[in-house]
Amino acid sequence: MVKIPTDADLLPPSDDHIFKTLLTNPNAGAVLKSVISAVLERPVTAVQIRNNELPVSDDEEKNERLDVNCVVDGGDQVDVEMQASRSVELTDDEYRSFMNKSVYYLTDLHSSQQSKGVKYHNLVRTYQVTFCMHPVFPAWPEFVNSISLRRTTGEQVSDQINMVIVEMSKLHALLKRPAESLTMLEMWSVFFRFAPDPEHRDFINKIIELKEEVAMATELLMEISQDEHERARNRSRRMAEHDRYSDIATAVDRGRAEVLALVKKGVSPDEILKRFDSL
């Protein structure tokens, strides 16, 4: 059985490119079926991937949403993605941008299915599954939240559109439990989050011993991590992400400085707001 060596330098499965590479590898059919089965909480026997193309260059990749769009068991549509960076929100405790984006992609995928000549009661279900490295619902203790159309009293109205959000920032409590007690989704989430971390290598190796599909994903991850071209691409993506955050922080500092300069000139708050609203 494969194990991750103590000194192994692994690329992070939480990187969206690495995540998609793992799930869409021609030899990873069992891995993808296991992940989707864990999320949907039902056995999945067949998965057809509909977008297996990866970008050919970093320039293209930065403009592309890296998801895994597939059909399971000849029916339901499932879109799986990894989101390593937090969506920019108006305040730290908001998640409106993230949720609106997820709803937009979910409903777009659901309405894209062939409907001509199809009765509405025969439309398939659609799932948007997002693994997140950042908190989405900080006030909620659960690391998995499944969302569908429900009445205000809680009864489900329709199971046609479904959102599953996995917050991998909330997994540390799982590391204190025996690996044998984890559910399949907990095992996959811990693997995606902590596989590159030497501090938790023994725990990850225990999961690898327990689940053959995780062992398969580990072999692929170690192979990918030894590819110097892939490592260079990963460095490029990290640099681009750092540049983006630096640009945002610089823009904030510049806006603050401009406001202070206007205040010193005696410009009224209403006039300052009008100037910035016109931008």
Side-chain angles (χ1 to χ4, degrees):
M1 176 66 70
V2 64
K3 280 192 174 184
I4 305 176
T6 304
D7 59 349
D9 183 14
L10 298 182
L11 292 173
S14 57
D15 174 274
D16 54 358
H17 186 280
I18 303 300
F19 180 76
K20 179 167 182 174
T21 301
L22 280 177
L23 295 190
T24 61
N25 186 286
N27 300 319
V31 172
L32 182 55
K33 282 190 284 188
S34 177
V35 171
I36 294 178
S37 295
V39 171
L40 301 188
E41 298 183 323
R42 70 170 192 262
V44 170
T45 59
V47 177
Q48 176 190 358
I49 300 173
R50 297 196 291 199
N51 65 333
N52 197 20
E53 298 81 11
L54 285 169
V56 296
S57 74
D58 281 347
D59 288 340
E60 292 180 18
E61 178 184 322
K62 291 165 192 170
N63 295 320
E64 182 167 341
R65 176 171 172 263
L66 291 178
D67 56 352
V68 182
N69 189 328
C70 49
V71 174
V72 301
D73 296 333
D76 293 346
Q77 302 180 113
V78 181
D79 188 79
V80 186
E81 70 169 338
M82 174 67 70
Q83 182 160 325
S85 58
R86 182 185 174 114
S87 299
V88 178
E89 302 284 356
L90 291 177
T91 62
D92 290 340
D93 59 351
E94 274 197 2
Y95 44 83
R96 182 181 300 178
S97 292
F98 172 86
M99 289 300 296
N100 285 359
K101 182 197 77 168
S102 298
V103 170
Y104 178 84
Y105 284 128
L106 171 61
T107 53
D108 182 63
L109 178 60
H110 188 66
S111 62
S112 70
Q113 62 183 290
Q114 180 63 43
S115 59
K116 186 176 181 180
V118 177
K119 298 180 178 67
Y120 285 124
H121 67 262
N122 288 333
L123 292 176
V124 301
R125 290 169 293 191
T126 304
Y127 296 82
Q128 172 64 47
V129 181
T130 307
F131 288 85
C132 301
M133 282 290 285
H134 56 85
V136 178
F137 309 113
W140 300 355
E142 301 85 2
F143 83 95
V144 180
N145 283 286
S146 299
I147 303 165
S148 62
L149 293 174
R150 295 179 180 273
R151 295 179 61 202
T152 54
T153 50
E155 297 92 343
Q156 188 176 59
V157 175
S158 171
D159 65 353
Q160 279 282 284
I161 55 174
N162 304 272
M163 192 183 303
V164 182
I165 299 170
V166 183
E167 298 173 82
M168 298 194 299
S169 61
K170 298 178 179 179
L171 298 178
H172 286 84
L174 298 181
L175 300 173
K176 300 176 183 179
R177 289 169 42 190
E180 296 86 350
S181 71
L182 301 185
T183 66
M184 196 67 242
L185 182 54
E186 289 172 339
M187 288 186 182
W188 277 120
S189 300
V190 168
F191 173 79
F192 292 144
R193 172 69 177 84
F194 295 111
D197 191 344
E199 181 182 353
H200 304 297
R201 193 135 291 169
D202 289 342
F203 194 81
I204 296 296
N205 280 331
K206 182 61 178 178
I207 293 176
I208 292 169
E209 292 178 6
L210 293 169
K211 294 297 178 181
E212 180 181 0
E213 295 86 353
V214 179
M216 294 173 62
T218 301
E219 288 184 312
L220 286 171
L221 181 60
M222 290 195 292
E223 181 181 332
I224 294 168
S225 299
Q226 292 171 4
D227 186 328
E228 286 303 317
H229 178 65
E230 193 62 64
R231 299 190 72 86
R233 288 165 63 92
N234 183 259
R235 286 193 296 273
S236 177
R237 290 191 294 274
R238 292 202 313 270
M239 291 170 64
E241 186 71 7
H242 292 159
D243 289 348
R244 185 174 76 90
Y245 281 121
S246 177
D247 288 345
I248 292 173
T250 300
V252 170
D253 289 344
R254 181 173 176 175
R256 184 181 294 114
E258 291 178 4
V259 169
L260 290 174
L262 291 171
V263 169
K264 289 180 179 179
K265 291 179 179 179
V267 179
S268 70
D270 287 343
E271 181 61 29
I272 292 175
L273 287 174
K274 286 180 183 179
R275 294 190 186 190
F276 279 89
D277 285 341
S278 65
L279 295 178

